[in-house]
Amino acid sequence: MKPHVFHLLLVLPFSGCTHLIGPDHTVPPMALPDRWSSTSAQGNTVTPKWWRLFGDAELSRLEELALHANQDLVTAMHRVDEAQADFRTQRADLYPNASVGAATDRSQSSANATQLTGFTPPEVAQYRLKSSFAYELDLWGKVRRQVESSRASLAATAYARDAVMLRLTGEVAEQYLALRTLDAEQALLEQAIQLRQQSLELTQKKFEGGFTSQSDVTRARSSLASAEADVADITRRRELTENTLSQLCGQPASGLHIRPSSNLPSQVTTVIRGKPASLLKQRPDIAESERTLAARSADIGVAMGERMPSLKLNGSLNLESLSLSDLLTSGSRAFSLGPELSLPIFSGGSNVARIKKAKARYQQAAASYRGTVLAAIKEVEDALTNQRGYHTLAEKHQANADAASETMRLSLERYTQGRVNYLEVVDAQREQLLAQRALVQAQSQGLQASMQLMRALGGGWNADASPR
């Protein structure tokens, strides 16, 4: 092959215009608020292991177990592997495609197909070494747009994995909090059962002594049975919550046993730094949406490139011989090299339709991106509102629980002295238990708001630190 042919093969892969067909990606502008509805001057900064701020060793253990064994997260990780393979496949189109091969065959023509009577065509053996070369010049940047789209899709898939991770850790924390809330309510009910058992014994003695009626005894038994029924219901709900945690942690249902504890995780105050616009770099779902938008933008260029002329360079270099010993000599050489130009003339409007489709998909992705940002800001504001509201609510419920406990104490004292009937005691017991359970619920909801705020702030996630 002549030297200028080799020069052509070296230069052409890097030739082509520098301008890429189609629009360059830009992030759609959005009018975002300048500040949050409220911020805290003191508190904890959200970190990637944000659940550790609640000071609960069992919660930390469950979170680590979920991060290693949750099957939704494993699936998301393998989607990243698939996207990486797709990206490498697309990137390979930037380079020439070459192949080599070898072949041998023996052939003989038909004797009856010749006009020579009694002539038998000889059997012929042929040996070949083959190589081929093909390359499509990326004159308009269509292939580079394909690579750009694939690269953006790979990043979006990686961010989607991070979003699954953030959602998973939030769900584990919320389910664990629900479990501990049930434990705290059950502890209150068990205390109430002990008190009501004592009240029943007291009422039974007073009835036997003729100081009270049979109805007081039946009320005491009913009150005790009601508390015991509540315990049975909480036991059922706790088992269901534990089953959910087992699934989140990648374990069979009921395969995870968590010892009961009436202690809720510690209350946590979160510091919010920056403006709402800072969420754009703190939330993996926003980063995923933005990279998906970038891929859809590049797809427009790919669709536009389908309407442009294409130029391919095809070549082959073969060694062919009837004798194996002569196969590597210069006389066995055969080659071909030449360009192939293709110009779309008529496609029935399909190429124009592809461009319209790509633009429509871009507009969908742009709307989805804006919606994701707005939803993220709403989640933060909702969590802030809940955090403030439930803190105030817990204070009110604490005062109510204290008053109900004092009322209960006074009612039981008056009943013991014979000044009131047992109906007042039953009412006081019921109000005390309701107030105590309402307090636990308000404290739990405040903790849940803190967890939701950390999750809404991205859980310490950062786009620059995310592996892609």
Side-chain angles (χ1 to χ4, degrees):
M1 189 178 293
K2 296 181 179 180
H4 71 273
V5 176
F6 289 103
H7 295 161
L8 182 63
L9 294 178
L10 292 174
V11 172
L12 282 177
F14 305 100
S15 64
C17 58
T18 57
H19 175 71
L20 301 182
I21 194 170
D24 292 328
H25 170 63
T26 57
V27 179
M30 292 188 64
L32 301 178
D34 293 331
R35 63 183 184 85
W36 301 105
S37 61
S38 68
T39 57
S40 55
Q42 297 180 347
N44 298 280
T45 302
V46 181
T47 63
K49 301 287 186 178
W50 56 268
W51 52 86
R52 294 181 178 176
L53 297 174
F54 292 92
D56 193 305
E58 184 67 9
L59 172 59
S60 297
R61 183 183 75 87
L62 294 174
E63 292 285 8
E64 295 298 332
L65 182 59
L67 289 174
H68 284 89
N70 180 268
Q71 294 307 297
D72 289 339
L73 184 55
V74 172
T75 301
M77 290 178 175
H78 286 301
R79 287 197 186 104
V80 176
D81 296 337
E82 179 185 2
Q84 287 176 334
D86 287 340
F87 170 65
R88 294 190 181 103
T89 301
Q90 291 292 340
R91 188 175 58 183
D93 291 339
L94 291 171
Y95 305 98
N97 186 357
S99 64
V100 296
T104 180
D105 61 71
R106 303 182 70 84
S107 63
Q108 184 179 40
S109 300
S110 170
N112 294 331
T114 66
Q115 296 182 350
L116 301 176
T117 304
F119 173 75
T120 300
E123 184 177 308
V124 179
Q126 189 173 32
Y127 304 92
R128 291 186 297 276
L129 291 177
K130 305 183 293 181
S131 65
S132 62
F133 165 89
Y135 180 69
E136 181 178 354
L137 279 70
D138 192 22
L139 298 176
W140 318 105
K142 183 186 76 172
V143 177
R144 279 170 284 173
R145 287 297 191 195
Q146 288 175 330
V147 174
E148 179 184 336
S149 175
S150 182
R151 181 183 289 109
S153 295
L154 170 58
T157 306
Y159 293 146
R161 172 206 58 204
D162 295 346
V164 170
M165 189 179 303
L166 178 60
R167 184 168 59 252
L168 170 64
T169 55
E171 289 177 356
V172 169
E174 291 177 7
Q175 289 296 323
Y176 178 77
L177 177 59
L179 188 80
R180 289 308 185 212
T181 302
L182 291 172
D183 286 345
E185 289 191 65
Q186 182 166 345
L188 291 174
L189 284 166
E190 288 173 351
Q191 292 176 6
I193 287 173
Q194 291 179 357
L195 293 174
R196 294 182 186 189
Q197 183 66 47
Q198 294 171 4
S199 298
L200 175 59
E201 293 172 358
L202 174 61
T203 305
Q204 185 69 38
K205 290 180 181 180
K206 293 187 68 174
F207 170 70
E208 292 172 355
F211 298 104
T212 188
S213 64
Q214 180 68 35
S215 61
D216 284 351
V217 177
T218 57
R219 287 193 185 98
R221 287 176 179 168
S222 176
S223 179
L224 175 60
S226 176
E228 290 173 339
D230 286 345
V231 168
D233 184 60
I234 283 182
T235 300
R236 176 190 63 82
R237 291 161 58 194
R238 189 186 192 279
E239 289 178 1
L240 294 177
T241 305
E242 201 171 52
N243 290 347
T244 301
L245 278 169
S246 296
Q247 181 184 11
L248 291 173
C249 293
Q251 307 298 316
S254 301
L256 188 71
H257 178 67
I258 303 171
R259 292 182 178 180
S261 173
S262 59
N263 296 324
L264 296 178
S266 302
Q267 291 285 348
V268 175
T269 303
T270 304
V271 172
I272 301 181
R273 302 186 186 278
K275 299 179 179 181
S278 63
L279 272 187
L280 303 183
K281 293 185 177 181
Q282 293 177 221
R283 296 262 304 216
D285 56 341
I286 294 178
E288 175 195 357
S289 185
E290 186 275 330
R291 285 292 84 196
T292 300
L293 179 63
R296 298 293 83 79
S297 175
D299 289 343
I300 296 176
V302 175
M304 294 175 67
E306 296 291 339
R307 301 186 64 190
M308 308 302 291
S310 64
L311 180 61
K312 296 180 181 179
L313 180 65
N314 300 311
S316 66
L317 174 61
N318 301 334
L319 295 175
E320 302 176 353
S321 175
L322 298 178
S323 172
L324 184 62
S325 60
D326 295 334
L327 183 62
L328 300 180
T329 63
S330 60
S332 299
R333 185 181 66 183
F335 74 90
S336 66
L337 177 67
E340 176 185 337
L341 179 65
S342 176
L343 178 63
I345 300 297
F346 178 75
S347 63
S350 62
N351 288 334
V352 175
R354 289 192 190 97
I355 296 175
K356 290 183 177 179
K357 178 181 178 180
K359 289 181 177 179
R361 295 185 68 194
Y362 174 82
Q363 294 299 331
Q364 294 173 44
S368 177
Y369 170 77
R370 295 188 186 97
T372 302
V373 174
L374 293 175
I377 293 175
K378 176 184 179 296
E379 287 179 10
V380 175
E381 293 288 8
D382 287 350
L384 286 170
T385 299
N386 286 333
Q387 196 174 51
R388 291 193 310 269
Y390 286 129
H391 176 74
T392 302
L393 187 63
E395 291 180 343
K396 303 300 182 183
H397 279 302
Q398 181 67 65
N400 184 37
D402 292 342
S405 296
E406 180 65 12
T407 300
M408 170 60 195
R409 186 188 66 82
L410 294 174
S411 297
L412 188 58
E413 181 178 311
R414 288 196 298 269
Y415 175 72
T416 304
Q417 297 170 355
R419 298 164 55 188
V420 297
N421 61 27
Y422 195 71
L423 182 60
E424 180 177 317
V425 176
V426 171
D427 289 340
Q429 287 177 337
R430 183 176 61 252
E431 292 299 325
Q432 180 193 34
L433 185 58
L434 289 174
Q436 289 175 334
R437 294 181 71 177
L439 173 60
V440 169
Q441 288 289 340
Q443 292 171 339
S444 174
Q445 289 165 337
L447 279 167
Q448 187 178 50
S450 295
M451 292 176 177
Q452 290 173 346
L453 178 58
M454 292 185 183
R455 179 174 164 180
L457 291 172
W461 182 87
N462 187 283
D464 298 330
S466 173
R468 282 174 280 170

